[in-house]
Amino acid sequence: MGEPGPGTPTLRVAKIKEGTVIDHITAGRALMVLRILGITGREGFVVSVVMNVPSKKMGRKDIVKIEGRELSPEEVNKIALVAPRATINIIRDYEVVEKHRVELPKTIRNIVRCVNPACITNAREPIEPLFYVVSEEPLRLKCHYCGRVMEQQDVFACLYEEA
């Protein structure tokens, strides 16, 4: 058997027996998805990350496979912040038993903090940040408390600050 020809898809990561595959992640954002899910590598789950692989629909995409763990609906919704076209595949006994797209909820609670230093959520008060989705692509969130509109780059920066 010879080498695959140009453009021939190759298996980059083996199938998983049980767990979750997050596919169609915007290229370069797989690590943000892990951050949103709170996955650091210390939890004990086997996690596979493939970045910038060819995709017919997207040009390039990322894929995350988490063995032995299924995501909650809240976690799935959080992924939409950084990967609005992602699909979630639940795997059992090597088969996809459930598949669905992520959906960005209308309100975002306690995932990112407001960039306005004068916002009440940054004043060491026991108030959880709450945002309304103004736009999905590009992502824009409006703070419930101070009205500040956060642009996509602000939201992404907050995700990494808290790592």
Side-chain angles (χ1 to χ4, degrees):
M1 197 176 216
E3 291 291 313
T8 302
T10 57
L11 182 63
R12 296 180 190 270
V13 178
K15 287 185 173 189
I16 62 175
K17 182 176 181 179
E18 310 284 336
T20 304
V21 176
I22 308 163
D23 198 356
H24 302 102
I25 300 169
T26 307
R29 296 188 186 168
L31 299 179
M32 288 184 193
V33 168
L34 293 177
R35 169 68 189 109
I36 281 179
L37 296 175
I39 295 174
T40 64
R42 295 185 295 268
E43 298 81 16
F45 299 107
V46 174
V47 177
S48 303
V49 177
V50 184
M51 299 177 74
N52 296 307
V53 295
S55 167
K56 289 178 184 172
K57 290 181 183 177
M58 301 173 67
R60 293 181 304 126
K61 67 178 180 179
D62 292 356
I63 304 168
V64 172
K65 294 184 177 189
I66 308 163
E67 294 186 42
R69 180 166 179 229
E70 293 184 14
L71 303 181
S72 71
E74 294 80 21
E75 289 175 314
V76 170
N77 289 342
K78 288 180 185 181
I79 292 169
L81 275 173
V82 297
R85 291 178 281 174
T87 55
I88 308 298
N89 299 293
I90 304 301
I91 311 298
R92 294 190 191 124
D93 199 23
Y94 297 104
E95 297 292 327
V96 176
V97 296
E98 188 180 319
K99 182 175 186 167
H100 56 275
R101 289 191 89 107
V102 298
E103 288 185 33
L104 190 61
K106 300 292 182 216
T107 57
I108 307 295
R109 290 183 183 277
N110 215 21
I111 300 173
V112 295
R113 65 172 184 76
C114 186
V115 293
N116 178 0
C119 181
I120 189 72
T121 60
N122 290 317
R124 299 190 189 274
E125 297 291 331
I127 297 172
E128 75 177 19
L130 172 64
F131 294 90
Y132 303 107
V133 176
V134 175
S135 167
E136 290 188 23
E137 285 194 70
L139 180 65
R140 296 177 74 222
L141 305 178
K142 182 177 180 179
C143 179
H144 170 76
Y145 301 101
C146 72
R148 171 75 60 99
V149 175
M150 290 177 50
E151 302 294 332
Q152 180 169 287
Q153 65 271 17
D154 297 327
V155 175
F156 291 177
C158 284
L159 292 172
Y160 279 110
E161 265 178 22
E162 296 171 17

